[in-house]
Amino acid sequence: MARVSLTPPRTLLYRAVEWYARRTYGKMLDPVAAMGHHPRVLLAGIRFELAVARWRSLDPDLKALAVMGSAAAIGCSWCMDFGYWEHTRHGMDPRKIHDLPVWRDSQVYTPLERDVLAYAEAMTATPPDVSDELAERLRTALGERAFLELTMMVAVENQRSRLNSALGLTSQGFKDHCEVRVGG
């Protein structure tokens, strides 16, 4: 159960964001509703997410795997639910989403994708446990710009997943609107 009301004051900003969310996603996003209690937090979050969406140095599928790997490591059911829907909607191979919970045993991932998933898990560990060898393989394969974007995407998803988990936000039913199963 959410630890904050998902019916914040209906300010002009909140109503505008709600209209956009319903138009884009078919429903209001629970994390956005939660942030609606603090308009400056909501506005800062929107600005940040818009900036993140414009980063284009990292391949979109690698970015999706980094985000989903981090969300899975934290155990954010809201993030996993939305992520399955969002990434398959944008053309990611559904098999890679299907096998995410068992990525080490799956044959659908390339060596680079495996390194991205390992990096996301290692960065998400507390304390982070990234080896020099893994970081160097990724930096060499991706280039410094994309490697930095990968690192930041894992950090961004850590922020999202930890916020959602701490607020008690759980699956919102996005997976019900796609043909992807959740779990292994």
Side-chain angles (χ1 to χ4, degrees), residues 21 28 37 43 46-47 60 72-73 77 85 95 120 122 132 167 172 180:
M28 183 56 165
H37 289 283
L43 193 54
I46 291 167
R47 286 180 178 154
S77 67
W85 176 77
R95 294 174 304 162
D132 290 340
L167 292 178
Q172 202 174 332
V180 177

Side-chain angles (χ1 to χ4, degrees), residues 52-157:
V52 168
R54 290 190 296 269
W55 299 346
R56 302 270 189 252
S57 296
L58 184 63
D59 173 82
D61 282 355
L62 294 178
K63 189 179 293 190
L65 288 174
V67 165
M68 295 296 288
S70 179
I74 290 169
C76 178
S77 67
W78 192 93
C79 301
M80 294 299 291
D81 176 46
F82 182 76
Y84 277 110
W85 176 77
E86 182 74 355
H87 299 309
T88 57
R89 185 172 76 113
H90 285 107
M92 185 169 193
D93 180 349
R95 294 174 304 162
K96 292 185 180 185
I97 301 289
H98 281 122
D99 286 1
L100 187 66
V102 294
W103 68 267
R104 283 181 180 82
D105 300 320
S106 174
Q107 301 303 310
V108 300
Y109 301 103
T110 67
L112 178 58
E113 290 169 335
R114 289 178 185 284
D115 279 349
V116 165
L117 288 166
Y119 190 70
E121 281 187 5
M123 265 190 73
T124 301
T126 303
D129 188 27
V130 176
S131 71
D132 290 340
E133 296 80 16
L134 177 58
E136 181 58 24
R137 274 197 316 272
L138 285 164
R139 189 188 63 76
T140 299
L142 300 173
E144 290 193 354
R145 186 177 177 105
F147 176 65
L148 180 62
E149 188 171 313
L150 168 65
T151 302
M152 190 62 179
M153 283 311 305
V154 173
V156 166
E157 186 55 34

Side-chain angles (χ1 to χ4, degrees), residues 3-14:
R3 295 182 178 117
V4 64
S5 166
L6 299 179
T7 54
R10 298 192 49 76
T11 64
L12 181 59
L13 172 63
Y14 182 80

